Amino acid sequence: MMLFHAMMAGLAMTAGAMASEQEGAQDNSPPAHPPIVPAGPDPVYPADFYAPFQPQTALDMLERTPGFLLSEGNSLRGFGGAAGNVLIDGQRPTVKAGGITEVLRRIGAARVERVVLLRGTDAAEAQGQTLVANVILRTDGGGSGNASLKLSHTRDGRISPSAQISHARKIAGWQSNVELSVEQVRYPIDGIYHISDGNGMPTETRHERIIGKAPEIGLAASTSGALAGGTLTLNLRLNRDGYESDRAIMITPTDGAAMIERTIGYDEKGRSGELGLDWTRTLGKDWSAKLVGLGRVERLTTNEDYVEPGYRGVSTLAQKPLELVGRTTLTRGGDHMLRPELGMEIAYNRLNSALDYAEDNGSGLTPITLANANSRVSELRGEAFANVTLRLGKRWTLESGMAFELSRIRVTGDAANKQSLSYWKPSAALVWSPRDTSQLRLGIRRTVDQLDFGDFAASVNQADGRPLGGNAQLRPARVTRALARADHRWGKGGALAVEAYHQWHQGMLGYLLLPTGDEALGTIGNARQWGISTQATLPLDAALRGARLTLDGTLRGSRMRDPVTGDNRKMDDIAPRSLTAEFRHDVPKLRSSWGISYTAAEQGDVFYTSERLTWRDDAAFDAYVETTALAGFKTTLRASALNGQDYHRLRRFYSPSRAGSYSGQEQRNQWEGAIVSLTLAHAL
């Protein structure tokens, strides 16, 4: 906290001095939050609402929208299943997971007219999202751009830079923008291991030091204009990234034997390219048609070299994913009692994977065979869907939908396989809006988890001594989710949303033994998950003008029958609770803001066939100060993980499986330390 107070005092004094010089006796401070303008049940936040937050981009604005949490979507195959919760002028950008942040970052705050929150939508543009932000741009926007430079100081005393520059303008009637970004992130980590046997007696202690770094460079561009009676939008993304680390581990046996040094070199490199196109045309009487095309290609290579006295393990994994998607929808908008939407999607996915794994126990490297070490997985999938929104009255709405999915998966390699799958995916929701500021939603939806093609192929984690075989028989899990959600907004930025849910999982994936004896992912049974989540934005003007508190928390529970022990247990990697909170205070007279955020500790379990792994991330505090007192710039000083970033992991081993006897454990504690960063952002 002393560091935070020093940060605040320094920037506040600078801001105050510069503000006094530039303003004299005049008060040109940004206005207080204007009232929220409701649009029926959907609240509207005009651009002026965000002025106290000093936004530079549309991304900054969405991060300060009351009760809204940005969802990037996910990396599922296809386009519809990976929907995020952001629309631009009512249309979903033709980018996959992660791309929406780049799109929003390229839009200057000056180009945004307003943000409309759509509370619940069953439309294909944002499938399954209960809160969607529609960013409406100004029609008279001219050229604009943004540039930022960030310097981050890590606990090893090194400074890592990152920078982005973007520009948008009309070229021959086409609204175009481009962004170039470069980043270097460092991960200095120290750790200690305590190893004990089945009787609880210590056998060795390990001290480790990891120096990791992750460079990344990306280019993103888009253009939009009139074509063939409609509007065509093109999005291009090129990316090159990687991660490399050197890990040194000193092993001290408790029996007095000599100390052992272990080194692990890890190198991961990736290249990707993505091109998306969207053509939308109005057909009349509030009908519109949309065609979407998307292609993505990647090249991924991972190398690991594990060395200690008397042993060496070397592995190389090369993967080449490919994705092609075509999608069309026909939608009726406007204020009609019945609003249908029809569409279909066709997608082709392919992954070529090759793993070379060898061990040397003193007589030279010997290849180690794993199931499906060299494989090719391909899927041709089609989906047809129909959604209908029916207005039952002034305050009641019924949303319903049905989709049918058909796919054919083919695996070639050591364990060749073909399978054809088909699923019905219904959904329904009843929405009641007793007033413009409140809404209650009851819904149920059935979805199908998309398989990760990497799980069809073999992989190896040498640091943990965990080789995994590939399973050519994988089938996706089916999930039925029922929910009740209440959303209420009030005053100048107050928002509260509470959602309770229950999920039924059929054909859950987990770890099992293949007939070859290799451990791999496979179907292990059914499961249930339930929980309650809350998002809140609470203005605190009554106590401190310009202050607000935001909260996001979830309580979860789950249960399934363990296929190894026969006992009931939790689902893999489901944290029973999560919480983030932020206090922010805007000081318009100083053209500055400051805040403190808190992330609660989280814990989860992963169940392997002969091991139970429990992980825990400790709680962390962040603090920041930002100011626009420096003319033309937004300056942000941030301290992340003021109390350090601590990670814990406990591996408990059993023989011959978790149904057998306890054989020992490995306790690992790691700490990364605080990160202090300085960011300068400038609107071009």
Side-chain angles (χ1 to χ4, degrees), residues 241-416:
D241 59 13
Y243 173 77
E244 58 184 76
S245 68
D246 292 312
R247 177 184 295 188
I249 304 175
M250 301 304 297
I251 304 173
T252 305
T254 58
D255 60 3
M259 183 181 296
I260 300 172
E261 181 179 6
R262 175 184 300 164
T263 62
I264 303 174
Y266 183 88
D267 181 64
E268 182 180 307
K269 289 183 172 63
R271 293 176 294 161
S272 65
E274 179 180 293
L275 177 64
L277 63 88
D278 176 310
W279 181 77
T280 304
R281 180 174 180 175
T282 301
L283 304 178
K285 296 184 179 180
D286 293 325
W287 285 90
S288 64
K290 176 190 284 288
L291 298 175
V292 172
L294 187 141
R296 181 176 177 84
V297 61
E298 297 179 74
R299 297 292 184 267
L300 308 171
T301 304
T302 302
N303 298 293
E304 192 172 13
D305 192 353
Y306 179 113
V307 180
E308 65 180 39
Y311 174 83
R312 183 185 182 193
V314 180
S315 65
T316 298
L317 176 64
Q319 295 184 314
K320 298 179 180 180
L322 170 69
E323 178 175 30
L324 300 172
V325 181
R327 182 180 179 88
T328 180
T329 57
L330 180 65
T331 307
R332 189 182 193 190
D335 187 22
H336 298 279
M337 179 175 293
L338 184 67
R339 291 184 286 121
E341 178 182 50
L342 307 172
M344 64 179 297
E345 177 177 303
I346 298 177
Y348 174 75
N349 291 84
R350 187 184 70 208
L351 173 66
N352 293 335
S353 181
L355 173 67
D356 293 322
Y357 177 37
E359 294 182 349
D360 180 0
N361 291 289
S363 57
L365 288 171
T366 302
I368 303 298
T369 302
L370 294 174
N372 263 15
N374 299 284
S375 64
R376 172 173 171 156
V377 187
S378 62
E379 178 190 39
L380 181 62
R381 182 179 59 83
E383 178 181 279
F385 58 86
N387 300 310
V388 175
T389 301
L390 176 63
R391 191 174 67 239
L392 301 177
K394 184 179 179 180
R395 299 292 183 181
W396 293 87
T397 303
L398 177 64
E399 300 172 354
S400 62
M402 177 63 74
F404 178 72
E405 175 185 312
L406 180 66
S407 69
R408 177 169 295 177
I409 299 176
R410 181 178 182 181
V411 182
T412 60
D414 303 329

Side-chain angles (χ1 to χ4, degrees), residues 396-399 428-432 440-444 482-485:
W396 293 87
T397 303
L398 177 64
E399 300 172 354
L430 182 64
V431 182
W432 177 44
L440 178 64
R441 180 182 185 88
L442 302 176
I444 189 168
L483 65 86
R485 178 184 176 89

Side-chain angles (χ1 to χ4, degrees), residues 420-460:
S420 296
L421 307 172
S422 61
Y423 302 100
W424 290 97
K425 300 185 290 186
S427 63
L430 182 64
V431 182
W432 177 44
S433 303
R435 56 182 65 87
D436 290 344
T437 56
S438 304
Q439 186 180 91
L440 178 64
R441 180 182 185 88
L442 302 176
I444 189 168
R445 171 182 291 270
R446 189 180 193 225
T447 58
V448 178
D449 286 349
Q450 297 292 337
L451 294 171
D452 183 344
F453 277 14
D455 295 331
F456 285 90
S459 63
V460 61

Side-chain angles (χ1 to χ4, degrees), residues 531-608:
I532 183 168
S533 63
T534 300
Q535 295 85 40
T537 302
L538 308 175
L540 304 177
D541 294 277
L544 181 63
R545 182 173 175 79
R548 74 170 190 167
L549 179 67
T550 59
L551 301 168
D552 176 31
T554 302
L555 295 175
R556 306 177 188 87
S558 64
R559 169 182 269 189
M560 68 175 299
R561 181 60 61 88
D562 192 309
V564 176
T565 65
D567 299 328
N568 289 326
R569 68 163 172 89
K570 299 178 290 185
M571 294 171 58
D572 284 355
D573 256 350
I574 300 296
R577 65 186 66 85
S578 59
L579 172 67
T580 58
E582 179 189 10
F583 172 83
R584 178 185 175 95
H585 182 209
D586 300 311
V587 189
K589 290 185 178 180
L590 297 179
R591 297 183 181 177
S592 304
S593 303
W594 66 276
I596 300 175
S597 62
Y598 168 76
T599 301
E602 291 192 17
Q603 179 175 307
D605 294 274
V606 180
F607 296 84
Y608 296 93

